[in-house]
Amino acid sequence: MKIVTGTQMQTVDHRTITEAHVPSTVLMERAGEGIVRHLEEHCGPARGKTITILCGKGNNGGDGLVAARLLCRRRARVHVVLLATVTDLSRDAAAMYRRFVHIAGRSAVSRFRSSDQARALVASSDILLDALLGTGLSSEVSGIYREAIELINGAGKPVIAVDIPSGIHADTGTILGRAIRATLTITFGLPKLGLYVGAGIDHAGAIRIVDIGIPPAYVDAIESRTLLLTSDSAFQSLPERVPSAHKGTFGHAGIIAGSVGKTGAAALAARAALRVGAGLVTVATPSSVNDVLEAKLLEVMTMPLPETKARTLARSGLDRILAFIQARTAIAIGPGLSTHPETVELVQSLMKHLDRPSVLDADALNALTGRASLLTECKTPPILTPHPGEMARLEVDATTQSVNTDRIGTARRFARERGVFVVLKGARTVIARPDGLVAICPTGNPGMATAGTGDVLTGMIVGLLAQGVPAWDAACAATYFHGSAGDLAAQHLGQAGMLASDLIAQIPYALQRTKTT
């Protein structure tokens, strides 16, 4: 699904109205219906609940007024607070105001004059609906709109944002003075970029997208090189499990990982590769930690390799590692390898021998610090899975802050320049491919900010690669299901106590369509 800017969405709305001859009020009605549907899915039946809807003068307020009318029909106790006079409302918003008053009466509407005047009403509400400012906002919020936003944020109530949290820039996700911190954002037509970048990530809450009937041809005409991963696209990437299949059908993943004190990273990656469907998994690891790793893994094979005195992989094992790679369908390199100088040298020497689908993570990426040009020697473009700090070490003159400031641009630029696939981990993980196409993953939660979840992602990617899934599809699908598994784990355990192994346990459920987020 394409992610768009505010201007692109306005253009496609205009085409729908003028060329497809869909009245703007019809689009507004559909938006209002979507608000109510998702409100009830998220918060339960509206009947009997006190719902206060704060409306601005534009079409965002008009969407809120449609929702107000429909919520009245569901026997909710609805009150509309206008931040403009009726005469200042846009044409469509004024029409929706009249329809609402016709069924609810003028007593259901009040003007917002100050926070003090509206505080009691907001405090008595079960749900607050933010229909103040839409995607056209480009200047800092001030005056009564700023007051209203501060009042809503301080109320401690569930807040549902209409199209985009008021005060968030639709393209950059930056806060324009003050911004609503929503529990749920219900956006229309297509997802807006500002919901998935910058402060928009923290302010949007859960995001739901409402189909308001934009003709597919108009969507196809939008020039967007940024996509939102969807459940449908992720499931379409999974290989078929035919009745005649055997373990060889689903490939043999090889994982080069581990060192003293870091066998856990190798074990997590290996288990994740099996859980995502790989037929066979073998881990190549330093000889003295091989027994430790075998004790952690029942279904995974291991291969002990020459090691340094520090119990990390030794340069002398290069030939054996090359033979290991040749006997595997796909390769992952990096989890728990360490940055021992000899191990770093070994990893660097492997780049020109990567002639099959591969994933480079963790210490494999650290080994390429200052040597990212070696990536161009790979015979098959690898998938890199850096977190922002690792990405900064790969980029010239980059810092973790500069990477986080422009996650999409950083991933896209590096993928193009080095001819690789990049999975830039973090809140709303970004996936980029060599031609500059970028996808954003909507799944995942802060509970996944714990040791080992990156190793799990590496294992999931190599597991899909081993099954013959193309690199781009494998990177996108693994990232999506990795987040889905994390979301399922959070539902069962809460976020604070989640472990990476909890996420692995949920992979099979994430791969069942009826169980995914």
Side-chain angles (χ1 to χ4, degrees), residues 9 20 35-36 62 87 94 102 117 123-124 126 133 188 214 287 290 359 415 427 433 442-443 486 488 506 509:
M9 193 66 232
I35 293 168
V36 174
T87 55
H102 181 71
Q117 166 257 331
S124 66
D126 297 307
L133 301 164
F188 311 125
I214 304 295
S287 58
N290 187 78
V359 190
R433 70 187 194 190
T443 60
L488 289 170
Q506 294 300 324
Y509 302 101

Side-chain angles (χ1 to χ4, degrees), residues 463-486:
L464 290 179
L465 290 174
Q467 295 172 72
V469 179
W472 171 251
D473 295 335
C476 290
T479 303
Y480 185 92
F481 290 122
H482 179 257
S484 293

Side-chain angles (χ1 to χ4, degrees), residues 69-142:
R69 170 165 40 87
L70 298 177
L71 288 166
C72 279
R73 291 178 178 169
R74 283 166 168 74
R75 299 293 187 266
R77 294 189 292 269
V78 177
H79 195 94
V80 169
V81 179
L82 293 179
L83 272 78
T85 63
V86 174
T87 55
D88 283 339
L89 295 177
S90 70
R91 184 191 63 183
D92 288 347
M96 298 309 171
Y97 167 80
R98 290 190 293 271
R99 294 182 191 181
F100 172 69
V101 169
H102 181 71
I103 68 165
R106 294 187 184 278
S107 63
V109 182
S110 64
R111 279 285 309 281
F112 185 95
R113 301 185 187 282
S114 70
S115 295
D116 291 339
Q117 166 257 331
R119 184 165 284 109
L121 174 62
V122 167
S124 66
S125 302
D126 297 307
I127 301 169
L128 302 175
L129 203 64
D130 158 37
L132 295 172
L133 301 164
T135 59
L137 183 68
S138 59
S139 58
E140 285 209 355
V141 178
S142 60

